[in-house]
Amino acid sequence: MSDMMPSGPATPFAENRAPTDWTSRAMTRRIRRRYAAERRFRFFGLAAVILSACFLAFLLITMVSNGLGGFMRHEVRVPIDFARAELNVTPEQLRGRGADLALAGAGLEELTGNAARAAFGPNGADALATSAWTEVRKALKDDPSLVGRSAAISLPVNADIESAIKGSGSPEAEALLSRITAADALDSGFDGGFLTEADATDSTAVGIWGAVKGSLFTMLVTLVIAFPIGVLSAVYLEEYAPRNRWTDLIEVSINNLAAVPSIIFGLLGLAVFLSVFHLPRSASLVGGLTLALMIMPVIVIASRNAIKAVPPSIRDAALGVGASRVQVVFHHVLPLALPGILTGTIIGMARALGETAPLLMIGMRAFIATPPGGVTDPATVLPVQIFLWSDQVGRGFVERTSAAIIVLLAFLLAMNALAIYLRNRFETRW
Amino acid sequence: MSSLALLFIICGLGLIAWLTARARAARFATRGPDRRHSLPGQHGWYMAMWTAIPALLFLGIWASVSPALVTQEVLEAPAAQSLPSFGFQRDSILAEARAIAGGDTFGAFNDEAAALAPAYGAAQSRYAWIGTALTLLLAFAGGAYAYSRVSPAFRARTRVERSVMILLLIASLIAILTTVGIFVSLLVESARFFSVVPITDFLFGTHWSPQVISSTDPGESLGAVPLFWGTFFIGAVIAMIVAIPFGLMSAIYLTQYAAPSVRKWMKPVLEILAGVPTVVYGYFAALTVAPAVRDFAVAIGFEYASAESALAAGLVMGVMIIPFVSSMADDSIAAVPSAMRDGSLAMGATRSETITKVLLPASLPGVVAGMLLAVSRAIGETMIVVMAASGAATITLNPFESATTVTKQIVDLLTGEAAFDSPKTLAAFALGLTLFLITFLLNIVALRVVKKYREAYE
C-alpha cells in the first residue's frame, strides 16, 4: 500500500525491492499461517453446515422419540365370563344388522366393570378408560360365539394408569398398576383410534381425524381459489401486460404480499371476511380464503417463472400458423409450463398446510369434538390442533402432540417430495 | 332450491349452450364467400358465457341480498309486532326462528321464535323461488340472445378473447385488492383505536398491560415500546446472531468448497429447516429448548432466569431463518462473475482470502438485502414467540429474562373474550398496522437493493 504514496523520486518499484526469498523462515511461517487460516475457514464452513443439519436431526429425533408413544396405547387383558353373565342375546342376533340394538340394553358397561373388579380388586374398574365397554361390544360383534364362553379381552387404560406407567401417577394408580402387572395383564398395542377419532378432553381418547378432515376442507378451498387466480394473473403479467405504471403496481403488490407476515393475513380475514361479510366463524371456508390470499403470490411468482421459461419460438410458431394469442397461451404455453406451475402450487399448498397464526385470528381454535361435514362447519386444522394440545402438557398430551406433529411432518415431506419429483421428472431444457 | 344445486344447473346449462352453439356453427360453410369467421368452439364459448355469467352474477348478488329481504318481510308479519325493540335480544329471537324454519333445531327457547318460524319459512321459500326463477330466466335469456347471434359472419372469436382478457386482468387485480384490503382494514380499525388512545401514548409509552385498561386514560397502559423492543431483541438481535453466521458460512461452504454431490444433498436438507411448520418449532422451543436455556442460565449464575426467556425463542427462530439467509447469500455469491474469483486465485490468494476479500465485498448488497428480508421475516414470525416467549412486557438487555413481541401480543389480544370494539382488541390492529408498515419498508428497501445490485454485473 505504501507504494502508492508519492514518496521520493518516482522509480519503478521493482528496482527498489530485492527478489522475494520464498524459502526464508519468515516467508514459510507466513505461508503456513495463511494455510492454517484457510483450513480454519473451511472448517467453520463445514461446521456451520453440519450443525444446521444436526439441529434438524435433533428436532426430528426429539419429535419422533416423543411421538411414537402417542400412536400406542396401553391395554389390560380382562377375563370376561360371558356365559355366567347371561347377556340375554343369542349369537344369531349378533350376526345381523340388529347387533347394536340387541346389545344396547345388555348391560355391557356394568359387565366390563365387574370383570375388572373381579380381576384386579375392588377398584379394578378405575383402571379402564370410559370407552372401554365399546371394545367389548366390538369383540362380541366380531365373534358372536363369545356369548357362550369366557375370554380375555384387551381394553384401553385411562389417563391415570397411563401416567402411572410412566412413573408419575398417584399412589392409588401405582398400587392398581402393580396388581395389574402382577397378573401379567398389561399390553401395549397400536391405537387405531388416534387416526380415526376427533378431539376429546381425555388424552387417551383423542384422535386427529377431525383436524385432518378440517385441514383437507381448508386446503380444498385454498386450492380452488388460489390456483386459478394465481395462474391467470401470471398469464396476464407475462403474456399480455403492457409495461406501464399499472402493471408495475401489480408486480410490486405481488412481491410485497409474498413477504407480508402471515398474521397480517389473519387480521385481514378477521376484519373483512368475519366483520364485513359475516361468514361463519372458525369455518374452513374462511380459513381457506385467508390462506388462499396468502399463497396466491407464491403461485403467481412460480407460474411466471415457468411461463417465462417457455421459449418464444413456440409462441412465434403458433402465431405464424394463425393462432390467436388466447389460443397460443391456452393450447401451447400453459401445457408446457404446467409442471413448473404445479411445483410452485404444491410448495405453496405445503406452506398453507403448516400455517397456524392466521387461523388463530379467525377463531379456528375452538374445541371441536365432531369432524366437520362441510366447509361452513366449525373446524380445526392439524397445526392448530397441535397448538391447542401443546398447552395441555400436564394432562398426558405431550406424546399425542408429538404424534400429531409426526403426521403433519409426514404430509409436508410427502408434498415436498412430490414437488421435487415433478420438477425432476418434467423439467425440460430447451 | 339450494344455491349449490342451482350452481350445478347453471353449469349444466352452460355446457348445453356450448354444445348447441358449436353444433350450429359447425354446419356453416368453411369455404366460399359466406364462410364462417370463427371456429365452432368459439361460438360455443360465446353462448356458454352469455348463459352462465349473468346468471352467476345474479345468484351471487341475490345470495347476499335476500336474507335482508326475508327479514324485512318477516318483521312485517303480525307475529313480529310483539318483538322487543332491543337490538341484541331481537336478533337472537330472529336467529332462532331462522334455525327452526331451516330445520336445524327442534325446540324453541323463545315463544316468539316459534311463532315467527312459519312466517320465516314462508318468506324464505318464496324468496328462494323468486331467486331461482330469475336466475333461470337470466340464463335462458342470455343463452337465447347469444344463440340468435350465431351466424357465419359473427365475430365470436373477438368477443370471447376480449372476455378472456378481462378475466385475466381481474385475476391480476386481486393482488392489488388484497394489498389495499389489508391496508384499509388495518387503517380503519387503527383509526378507531387512535380516536380513543393518543397515538403518542401508543408509540412512545413504556408501560404495556392490556389486562387492566383504565377507562379514563386508556393510553396509560397501552404503550408499545416494550413490545417493539422485545420484537427487535428477539427477531433482529438474537435470531440474527444465530442465523447470519450459520447461514452465511453454510452458503460459502456449499458454493465454494463442497463437492457437487455433497451440495446436491445438503441444500435440500437445509431447505427442510424452512419447511418445518412454525408451530412445530414453537412446540420444540417451549418443550425442549426453553427448559435447557433456563437450566443453563441457573448453572452460570442467573437466579431469576425465566422459563420463557427471550433467548429460547430467539435461538429457535434463528435456526428457522438459517436456510433463508443461506439461500439469499448463495444467490448473490453465485452472481459475482467468476472472472473476479479466478483473478484473485491466480494472484496467489487462498480460497478463504478470495472469499472474504473479493467475493463477499462484491456480493455485499445482495447479502445485506437478504439479511433485511430475514429480519422482516423474523419480526413477523408468530407461532414460535406465541408458544415460547412470555407475555410480560419488559425492556431488558438480558437474554435470560422474558420478553414479549408484537405478534405474540396480537394473538393474545384477539383470542381473549373481549368485545370487538374495545380498546384492547383494537390495539391489536394498531400493532398489526405497525408491523405491516415496518415489514413493508424492510421489504421495499431489500427488493430495491437486490434489483439494483443484480443488474450491476449483467
Side-chain angles (χ1 to χ4, degrees), chain B residues 406-430:
Chain B
V406 170
T407 47
K408 159 131 179 115
Q409 290 303 320
I410 294 177
V411 172
D412 284 358
L413 291 173
L414 283 181
T415 49
E417 299 296 323
F420 194 64
D421 44 6
S422 72
K424 194 175 157 185
T425 29
L426 290 177
F429 285 93

Side-chain angles (χ1 to χ4, degrees), chain A residues 87-268:
Chain A
L87 275 179
N88 224 351
V89 285
T90 58
E92 284 67 38
Q93 282 176 313
L94 293 178
R95 284 206 178 90
R97 286 186 177 184
D100 280 331
L101 203 62
L103 287 170
L108 288 180
E109 214 164 342
E110 201 189 333
L111 168 71
T112 313
N114 287 340
R117 275 187 280 277
F120 311 117
N123 62 347
D126 295 348
L128 299 179
T130 45
S131 63
W133 66 277
T134 57
E135 301 277 326
V136 177
R137 186 177 63 182
K138 193 159 154 275
L140 278 174
K141 283 199 284 185
D142 288 349
D143 182 8
S145 69
L146 280 178
V147 171
R149 57 192 170 88
S150 72
I153 294 178
S154 290
L155 302 174
V157 299
N158 63 14
D160 291 342
I161 301 292
E162 283 279 357
S163 43
I165 291 169
K166 285 170 210 137
S168 58
S170 60
E172 299 89 58
E174 298 274 4
L176 184 54
L177 175 65
S178 61
R179 276 202 298 282
I180 295 173
T181 40
D184 194 24
L186 197 65
D187 266 341
S188 62
F190 178 70
D191 184 3
F194 184 66
L195 297 177
T196 56
E197 301 292 324
D199 199 3
T201 46
D202 180 8
S203 71
T204 56
V206 297
I208 54 169
W209 176 238
V212 169
K213 207 170 167 193
S215 277
L216 289 180
F217 280 133
T218 309
M219 290 297 104
L220 189 72
V221 175
T222 307
L223 186 67
V224 164
I225 292 168
F227 183 70
I229 294 179
V231 174
L232 291 182
S233 48
V235 166
Y236 178 76
L237 289 176
E238 274 308 311
E239 298 284 329
Y240 288 95
R243 289 266 140 239
N244 60 24
R245 277 170 49 202
W246 274 107
T247 45
D248 279 352
L249 192 63
I250 296 178
E251 273 204 64
V252 170
S253 342
I254 287 175
N255 285 335
N256 271 310
L257 276 184
V260 167
S262 60
I263 191 169
I264 301 281
F265 286 95
L267 289 176
L268 174 76

Side-chain angles (χ1 to χ4, degrees), chain B residues 15-60:
Chain B
L15 182 67
I16 293 170
W18 188 79
L19 290 171
T20 319
R22 198 179 72 130
R24 179 163 176 210
R27 287 194 298 273
F28 297 147
T30 52
R31 293 178 185 287
D34 59 343
R35 69 198 174 94
R36 65 181 181 218
H37 169 270
S38 304
L39 290 173
Q42 286 156 347
H43 285 284
W45 279 113
Y46 183 73
M47 182 162 162
M49 272 177 359
W50 265 105
T51 309
I53 290 176
L56 287 178
L57 280 180
F58 176 78
L59 192 62

